[in-house]
Amino acid sequence: YRKRESKPLFEISFEISFSMYWIIMEEKENKLINAIEAIDYFENKRYEIVLGNSNKGQFSIEKTIVLEFSRENFFHLLGFQYISELNASSSNKATFIKLITKHLKKKKSLIDNDSCKKILLSTLFSQIENRLELFSELKDCIELKPNKNNYWERDETFHTHTDIDWEYLIEFLPHNDPNFRKKYLFIKKDEHSDKFIPLSLFKTDDLRFSNNQARKDILALKTFLYNA
């Protein structure tokens, strides 16, 4: 009987660390893949949101918001501005989104794409994780039970506890979130049209954004595709 030689401790430690590294990388890549796949759904998506007030079964329409998603929105929505390694100028952010979605459609690993690799390896990836997760869930958050979400119109007389210059805020149900964190989508009227555009989204434990704001009821939600 020959005694089996055990591996040195540093070898075992290295193997465990290496395995954990690739598990973490795979989790990060899956989150990024899910978010990029959601871009394909939202690109050129338009929502018509009818807001108003209800009182004892009587509804009054106050505002119809046309919320429009376009390629120019996604870079900021996904938080890529926090990844300093990208160095993307405002002029090529839409091109950046086009290239990474095209790369994924070719069924190639994201780590093979230089820009995606920078995102996945960035020490700042943790700052965008909850945005990626929420963007992946955003279709269900908006469309499944719109009347269960809260809709807020900004009241300029009260502090909004954020630097985001929003006009309307959608506060989503905590869909399948075990931590019951609030999920927010901030929107604002586009400077160049009568449409509204998404400004930012994130999950948070901070409940102050809707404090003292004007709550609205959703009376109808319609979904359209438009030609950019």
Side-chain angles (χ1 to χ4, degrees), residues 60-109:
S60 60
I61 296 175
E62 286 191 2
K63 181 84 174 182
T64 297
I65 294 173
V66 178
L67 174 61
E68 199 167 88
F69 287 81
S70 67
R71 189 175 291 162
E72 288 73 19
N73 306 140
F74 299 126
F75 190 95
H76 188 82
L77 277 179
L78 297 177
F80 292 151
Q81 70 274 15
Y82 295 112
I83 308 297
S84 55
E85 293 88 345
L86 290 178
N87 294 319
S89 65
S90 56
S91 60
N92 67 10
K93 288 175 181 177
T95 303
F96 169 86
I97 294 297
K98 179 181 178 180
L99 290 176
I100 63 172
T101 51
K102 185 177 180 181
H103 180 84
L104 186 61
K105 285 179 179 179
K106 291 180 179 178
K107 301 188 182 303
K108 294 183 178 180
S109 171

Side-chain angles (χ1 to χ4, degrees), residues 1-6:
Y1 175 74
R2 185 177 178 182
K3 187 178 180 180
R4 185 178 177 182
E5 293 184 7
S6 58

Side-chain angles (χ1 to χ4, degrees), residues 185-203:
L185 176 65
F186 299 83
I187 63 178
K188 183 180 181 179
K189 191 172 183 298
D190 182 34
E191 295 177 357
H192 309 293
S193 72
D194 59 350
K195 309 296 188 298
F196 282 75
I197 58 172
L199 292 177
S200 187
L201 80 168
F202 47 79
K203 301 179 185 181

Side-chain angles (χ1 to χ4, degrees), residues 3 20 27 52 106 131 141 151 208 222:
K3 187 178 180 180
M20 287 300 298
E27 289 177 352
K106 291 180 179 178
R131 288 178 183 244
C141 288
Y151 302 82
R208 297 175 298 165
K222 296 179 181 178

Side-chain angles (χ1 to χ4, degrees), residues 3-202:
K3 187 178 180 180
R4 185 178 177 182
E5 293 184 7
S6 58
K7 291 183 180 180
L9 187 59
F10 76 88
E11 259 190 60
I12 297 173
S13 178
F14 174 79
E15 288 178 1
I16 293 173
S17 298
F18 189 72
S19 297
M20 287 300 298
Y21 170 80
W22 283 110
I23 290 171
I24 292 169
M25 283 300 294
E26 185 177 13
E27 289 177 352
K28 291 164 70 173
E29 186 173 19
N30 286 337
K31 288 179 181 180
L32 187 54
I33 286 171
N34 291 339
I36 294 173
E37 287 177 341
I39 288 174
D40 197 46
Y41 177 81
F42 279 106
E43 190 163 4
N44 301 332
K45 183 73 66 178
R46 179 181 289 166
Y47 291 98
E48 186 179 283
I49 304 170
V50 182
L51 297 177
N53 291 308
S54 62
N55 183 24
K56 297 180 179 179
Q58 300 298 313
F59 298 93
S60 60
I61 296 175
E62 286 191 2
K63 181 84 174 182
T64 297
I65 294 173
V66 178
L67 174 61
E68 199 167 88
F69 287 81
S70 67
R71 189 175 291 162
E72 288 73 19
N73 306 140
F74 299 126
F75 190 95
H76 188 82
L77 277 179
L78 297 177
F80 292 151
Q81 70 274 15
Y82 295 112
I83 308 297
S84 55
E85 293 88 345
L86 290 178
N87 294 319
S89 65
S90 56
S91 60
N92 67 10
K93 288 175 181 177
T95 303
F96 169 86
I97 294 297
K98 179 181 178 180
L99 290 176
I100 63 172
T101 51
K102 185 177 180 181
H103 180 84
L104 186 61
K105 285 179 179 179
K106 291 180 179 178
K107 301 188 182 303
K108 294 183 178 180
S109 171
L110 293 188
I111 205 73
D112 295 333
N113 177 275
D114 185 57
S115 294
C116 291
K117 187 176 182 179
K118 288 178 180 178
I119 295 170
L120 293 169
L121 296 178
S122 174
T123 57
L124 300 171
F125 184 86
S126 60
Q127 292 193 28
I128 70 169
E129 275 187 280
N130 82 44
R131 288 178 183 244
L132 297 179
E133 291 171 1
L134 179 51
F135 190 74
S136 303
E137 303 164 3
L138 194 58
K139 173 183 179 292
D140 287 346
C141 288
I142 293 176
E143 298 178 17
L144 280 185
K145 295 180 179 179
N147 60 320
K148 297 295 184 181
N149 298 323
N150 291 322
Y151 302 82
W152 304 91
E153 184 178 45
R154 183 169 183 170
D155 186 335
E156 298 284 353
T157 59
F158 294 99
H159 198 304
T160 59
H161 305 282
T162 177
D163 293 329
I164 301 170
D165 188 21
W166 60 275
E167 293 182 39
Y168 285 88
L169 172 63
I170 304 178
E171 184 180 23
F172 299 114
L173 280 172
H175 294 272
N176 302 319
D177 189 335
N179 299 314
F180 294 98
R181 289 170 295 178
K182 287 288 186 179
K183 304 176 183 182
Y184 295 102
L185 176 65
F186 299 83
I187 63 178
K188 183 180 181 179
K189 191 172 183 298
D190 182 34
E191 295 177 357
H192 309 293
S193 72
D194 59 350
K195 309 296 188 298
F196 282 75
I197 58 172
L199 292 177
S200 187
L201 80 168
F202 47 79

